[in-house]
């Protein structure tokens, strides 16, 4: 997408669906100047200038919590009205149609494809810093990440040929480390835990 | 494969950093948040806090420390010590820990590993295993015995079997400490590392005994990450120096 002129950060709705560590994402967004609203209220998501869907835990539980709370509908509206949206880790995974974690999960279906377990033969979970590489021409938001190391903590991943794939990483197989579809962005790594590289990325996201 | 990680470890007691030898003779080594921020600035791949007193009265102090650290440190933060329940685990994650480690409570109740792993995924759960060499019986392979309560109590559990069990129950990583080497600066117990890394398919963090940069390189031949305390606390080496040394040895580390 064209990034256009930078806008002030405005409000970022950080979607809270009950599990895991939101605090790290919240801290990192505040560090880069965003006004963060941690919420599971669909109305707060509708009012926000930007939406961040963090992720920790299992894809089935996260997708189900988003449906039940009504945040799924608000998220779809945010994407439709052109608000920048960022999914992180499980927040990337739930955008897909389906996942094979915990016996199978139905995702939000915003991106075609299935989330699969990384292959046996490598250490799982994939925990640590892996280099990112371009899958093709890069969106300006993601371009500075090419060649950088980012912090990962996951066992499941989107396919390397996922629609909108921008950056790849490798663990047993290449997988989708970042994607961009218009104003919808998602990353498998944790920008909030990727030190300067991650903070720069979040600073660019809140400045789109 | 991800880059090999360098993890400075801060033993914390009553909100302060302490360092001992063989888990004894503690001395004050400063403010944890300042130390964590310093290591973050040096490009540490992760920072670990282990609350070695871990009394119930001090849970508030630890949570407050984690909260303050998470507001300043944008590298992964692992916190352990005295985690006895789902509530303890979740409270640390909510305060800003990215991973929580359990030790004694997992031995007391192995099912806790399964339950904690289900809460936020295996990647948020580290099982810390403290082991000590058993006298080697003639014709028998070397064995290690699991100890709990800060290394003060032998459990009778055999180390390799316990590592396999917690991995199967849903641990995301093992933090493996050789009590024989801890604080001695004599190097990691490499035989232990080789055995455990061959026994499990989850990442293993090597701990106990680092005195030189060469020791880090030795441990990372087997382990996925190297945890070290005194070589960094004493200002003997920075994380950058450690990484430059490892890179020169052909070990993949993240630039810092």
């Amino acid at each position: 997408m064209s990034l256009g002129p930078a806008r002030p950060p405005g409000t970022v709705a950080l979607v809270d669906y009950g599990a895991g560590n939101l605090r790290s994402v919240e801290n990192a967004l505040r560090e880069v100047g965003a006004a963060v609203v941690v919420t599971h209220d669909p109305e707060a998501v509708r009012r926000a200038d930007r939406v961040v869907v963090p992720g920790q835990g299992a894809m089935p539980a996260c997708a189900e919590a988003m449906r039940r709370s009504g945040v799924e509908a608000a998220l779809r509206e945010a994407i439709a009205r052109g608000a920048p949206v960022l999914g992180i880790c499980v927040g990337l995974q739930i955008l897909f149609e389906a996942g094979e974690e915990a016996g199978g999960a139905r995702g939000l279906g915003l991106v075609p494809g299935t989330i699969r377990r990384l292959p046996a033969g490598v250490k799982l979970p994939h925990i640590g810093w892996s280099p990112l590489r371009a899958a093709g021409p890069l969106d300006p938001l993601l371009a500075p990440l090419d060649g950088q190391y980012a912090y990962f903590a996951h066992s499941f991943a989107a396919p390397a040929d996922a629609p909108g794939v921008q950056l790849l990483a490798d663990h047993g197989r290449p997988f989708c480390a970042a994607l961009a579809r218009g104003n919808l962005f998602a990353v498998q790594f944790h920008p909030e835990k990727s030190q300067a590289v991650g903070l720069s990325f979040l600073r660019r996201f809140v400045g789109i | 494969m991800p880059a090999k990680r360098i993890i400075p470890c801060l033993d914390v007691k009553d909100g302060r950093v302490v360092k001992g030898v063989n888990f004894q003779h503690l001395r004050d080594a400063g403010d944890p948040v300042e130390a964590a921020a310093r290591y973050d600035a040096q490009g540490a791949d992760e920072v670990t806090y282990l609350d070695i007193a871990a009394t119930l009265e001090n849970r508030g102090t630890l949570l407050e420390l984690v909260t303050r650290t998470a507001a300043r440190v944008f590298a992964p933060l692992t916190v352990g010590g005295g985690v006895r329940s789902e509530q303890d685990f979740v409270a640390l994650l909510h305060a800003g820990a990215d991973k929580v480690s359990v030790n004694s409570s997992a031995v007391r109740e192995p099912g806790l590993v399964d339950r904690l792993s289900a809460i936020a995924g295996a990647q948020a759960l580290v099982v810390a295993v403290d082991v000590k060499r058993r006298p080697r019986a003639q014709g028998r392979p070397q064995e290690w015995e699991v100890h709990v309560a800060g290394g003060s109590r032998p459990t009778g559990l055999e180390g390799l079997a316990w590592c396999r069990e917690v991995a199967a129950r849903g641990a995301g990583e093992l933090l493996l400490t050789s009590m024989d080497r801890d604080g001695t600066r004599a190097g990691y117990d490499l035989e232990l590392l080789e055995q455990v890394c061959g026994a499990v398919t989850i990442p293993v963090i090597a701990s106990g005994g680092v005195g030189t940069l060469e020791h880090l390189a030795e441990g990372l031949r087997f382990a996925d990450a190297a945890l070290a305390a005194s070589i960094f606390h004493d200002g003997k080496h920075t994380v950058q120096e450690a990484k430059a040394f490892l890179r020169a040895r052909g070990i993949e580390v993240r630039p810092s």
Side-chain angles (χ1 to χ4, degrees):
Chain A
M1 74 179 272
S2 160
L3 289 179
R7 290 191 279 153
T11 56
V12 176
L14 178 59
V15 177
D16 177 7
Y17 40 79
N21 175 7
L22 275 183
R23 186 67 76 92
S24 294
V25 183
E26 183 185 355
N27 286 336
L29 287 168
R30 289 195 202 287
E31 180 77 11
V32 301
V36 185
V37 182
V38 179
T39 185
H40 53 83
D41 174 8
E43 289 313 310
V45 173
R46 290 191 174 92
R47 281 195 302 272
D49 298 301
R50 292 174 181 75
V51 184
V52 174
V53 183
Q56 200 177 50
M59 178 180 165
C62 293
E64 185 49 39
M66 293 217 25
R67 275 192 200 99
R68 210 174 40 236
S69 62
V71 167
E72 178 189 357
L75 183 69
R76 288 179 187 279
E77 288 171 37
I79 295 167
R81 73 177 143 91
V85 171
L86 172 64
I88 297 173
C89 194
V90 175
L92 173 146
Q93 298 178 7
I94 62 172
L95 301 176
F96 283 75
E97 291 169 315
E100 58 179 23
E101 186 170 4
R106 189 165 62 88
L108 305 185
L110 293 160
V111 182
T114 300
I115 302 297
R116 298 194 190 283
R117 191 171 173 84
L118 290 166
V122 289
K123 298 267 184 128
L124 284 180
H126 171 216
I127 294 179
W129 299 77
S130 289
L132 304 171
R133 60 189 164 90
L138 291 173
D139 185 284
L141 176 69
L142 294 161
L145 291 164
D146 185 15
Q148 302 284 349
Y149 282 77
Y151 181 75
F152 290 86
H154 64 122
S155 297
F156 294 82
D161 62 354
V165 63
Q166 288 265 307
L167 294 165
L168 298 172
D170 296 275
H171 193 66
R173 65 168 165 89
F175 64 88
C176 171
L179 64 82
R181 305 189 90 197
N183 52 310
L184 173 63
F185 302 92
V187 293
Q188 180 59 62
F189 57 89
H190 289 272
E192 76 281 11
K193 289 284 128 186
S194 295
Q195 291 181 330
V197 165
L199 290 179
S200 303
F201 166 72
L202 292 174
R203 191 171 288 115
R204 288 194 300 280
F205 175 76
V206 303
I208 295 173
Chain B
M1 289 286 283
K4 300 283 186 174
R5 282 170 285 159
I6 298 295
I7 308 177
C9 175
L10 301 161
D11 285 345
V12 171
K13 183 172 185 272
D14 303 327
R16 300 286 293 175
V17 182
V18 292
K19 187 62 196 159
V21 176
N22 299 112
F23 288 16
Q24 292 173 349
H25 308 297
L26 303 174
R27 58 187 166 79
D28 190 288
D31 175 45
V33 182
E34 290 307 319
R38 190 167 63 242
Y39 294 136
D40 185 27
Q42 288 180 9
D45 297 310
E46 190 169 323
V47 175
T48 292
Y49 283 168
L50 291 178
D51 183 358
I52 62 165
T55 57
L56 286 175
E57 310 84 73
N58 277 334
R59 294 316 281 176
T61 307
L62 180 65
L63 289 173
E64 190 259 347
L65 177 59
V66 170
T67 303
R68 283 196 296 131
T69 307
R72 278 185 62 187
V73 173
F74 297 100
L77 175 66
T78 302
V79 182
V83 174
R84 295 172 179 85
S85 65
E86 285 92 330
Q87 289 87 334
D88 292 341
F89 177 81
V90 169
L92 285 167
L93 289 182
H94 284 178
D98 300 286
K99 299 186 268 191
V100 172
S101 80
V102 295
N103 187 337
S104 305
S105 54
V107 172
R108 196 179 311 122
E109 192 199 350
L112 184 65
V113 175
D114 306 66
R115 299 204 304 277
L116 297 183
S117 184
I119 291 174
Q123 83 291 334
L125 178 64
V126 181
V127 174
V129 179
D130 297 339
V131 296
K132 202 170 190 170
R133 281 177 175 252
R134 279 177 170 154
R136 188 166 184 166
Q138 193 124 44
R140 298 263 304 157
Q142 176 64 50
E143 287 193 344
W144 290 263
E145 182 176 10
V146 177
H147 284 58
V148 294
S152 65
R153 204 169 71 236
T155 63
L157 282 172
E158 194 275 310
L160 286 184
W162 178 239
C163 289
R164 279 195 199 94
E165 177 173 348
V166 296
R169 285 180 179 276
E173 285 179 290
L174 287 178
L175 168 50
L176 180 65
T177 300
S178 160
M179 294 173 55
D180 305 292
R181 298 299 179 91
D182 188 67
T184 65
R185 306 184 189 203
Y188 293 115
D189 183 340
L190 296 177
E191 189 183 4
L192 170 69
L193 283 178
E194 182 173 20
Q195 295 279 325
V196 172
C197 291
V200 298
T201 58
I202 61 176
V204 174
I205 304 164
S207 161
V210 173
T212 67
L213 299 181
E214 183 63 42
H215 292 152
L216 294 176
E218 288 170 359
L220 290 172
R221 277 167 47 209
F222 305 109
D224 302 278
L227 188 110
S230 56
I231 61 163
F232 297 129
H233 300 332
D234 295 349
K236 191 172 167 189
H237 295 290
T238 63
V239 175
Q240 287 103 322
E241 285 168 10
K243 287 192 170 182
F245 179 89
L246 294 170
R247 198 172 296 116
R249 291 298 176 92
I251 295 170
E252 186 194 355
V253 288
R254 184 177 62 103
S256 53

